[in-house]
Amino acid sequence: MTLWDGSYPFYPGANACFPFDTTRAVIITVFLSMLVTFLIILPGIRGRGRLFWFLRLVLGLFMGAVILTVQFTRDWETGWVQANTSYKSFSPVQVNADIGLHIGLAGLNITLRGNPVNQINETINYNEHFPWDFGADYERSYGEGLQKGLPSPILYVAEKFSRQSPCAVHRQYRIAGHYVSLSLWLAFCMWLISILLFSMSVLLYGGQMLLLTAALILSSLLVFSTARNTLKCPIQFGSVSLRTDYGESFWLTLAAGLCLLLGLGILILNSLQPEKLKLIFSLDKSSEEEKWDKSCLPAEPSCSAQEGLVVPLGELCQVTATQL
């Protein structure tokens, strides 16, 4: 394990790592820095265009940050249960603990936290990661957990997601994670293209790219829901069972998928009321140009002044000759 692999086990020892997901922290810091930078120049925008510009900025950065962040989170599906369970294999000693399961696109995390944390002369506070992304071997991680002598509840839950388990959910979650990750990377690329098109004032194609971004996001949610709804073996701890539900990353991705409404709104306004669309994107400068042209033109003389300036044609034709 390294500082930047996104895992955060809390048990003491040589393998203890940073206590939070550093990848998520880096992404959030970058997007917040961009937001603060753009807010600095916000007072320089005049009129109601400032409000529209601010809304476009916040919505655009929110979608980009969510699409990129959920690639590395491990709470697409989560579940908790409190139970009295055995702590070590071949030992009758039981502990009271909270057991958590957190499923992401690249693997799962299993949390074991004692109630209280200090029991049987040990600190019960574990958070183990078992990956299944490209280049990772889930069975090897599970075998290393057996060699380290991890607590029985962690090994029991991890065994449910192994390839040899009769539950047969490893393949579904692994393939679903790969396809969801691919769809989200494509959605992030489409989001970048839409931002570029909007900055170039190509509103129609920008709205189309926004629709494509939403379609990729919603398709990724559909793929993950299909894998989650497969029949699974119960994870039982005595009389209680560990049940999971959609996590924060799933709902954040769904919120980003609502850019479908923004894309449809842009296309509808572009076809029905393009002037209002230009006003929203601060492109309607016709009224300003009219005011500028009127202010630059000389004032037209009144009728009385024009009458006073009329000179007979005969007088204009007379030429005074000077004798040399």
Side-chain angles (χ1 to χ4, degrees), residues 71 76-77 102-108 129-141 160-164 167-183 220 223-230 232:
Q71 289 273 6
W76 278 74
E77 185 178 350
H102 317 277
I103 302 175
L105 303 181
L108 58 89
H129 178 60
F130 298 90
W132 55 49
D133 56 342
F134 289 110
D137 190 350
Y138 185 91
E139 304 302 324
R140 179 180 178 182
S141 300
K160 293 286 186 180
F161 290 85
S162 64
R163 293 179 181 175
Q164 289 77 21
C167 297
V169 295
H170 175 85
R171 184 173 178 271
Q172 286 89 336
Y173 274 101
R174 183 173 180 270
I175 294 177
H178 292 169
Y179 279 106
V180 170
S181 179
L182 177 61
S183 298
S220 67
V223 171
F224 187 82
S225 300
T226 303
R228 182 187 177 275
N229 291 330
T230 56
K232 295 181 291 186

Side-chain angles (χ1 to χ4, degrees), residues 81-157:
V81 67
Q82 183 177 358
N84 292 316
T85 178
S86 61
Y87 182 62
K88 293 291 185 180
S89 300
F90 310 107
S91 174
V93 178
Q94 289 195 342
V95 296
N96 184 272
D98 291 325
I99 306 164
L101 174 61
H102 317 277
I103 302 175
L105 303 181
L108 58 89
N109 273 57
I110 304 172
T111 305
L112 179 67
R113 186 180 300 118
N115 289 317
V117 176
N118 296 315
Q119 297 184 50
I120 59 173
N121 297 324
E122 290 191 27
T123 300
I124 305 175
N125 198 354
Y126 294 81
N127 194 329
E128 289 292 329
H129 178 60
F130 298 90
W132 55 49
D133 56 342
F134 289 110
D137 190 350
Y138 185 91
E139 304 302 324
R140 179 180 178 182
S141 300
Y142 178 69
E144 291 176 353
L146 289 172
Q147 293 178 2
K148 288 191 299 184
L150 292 177
S152 296
I154 295 179
L155 296 176
Y156 168 68
V157 177

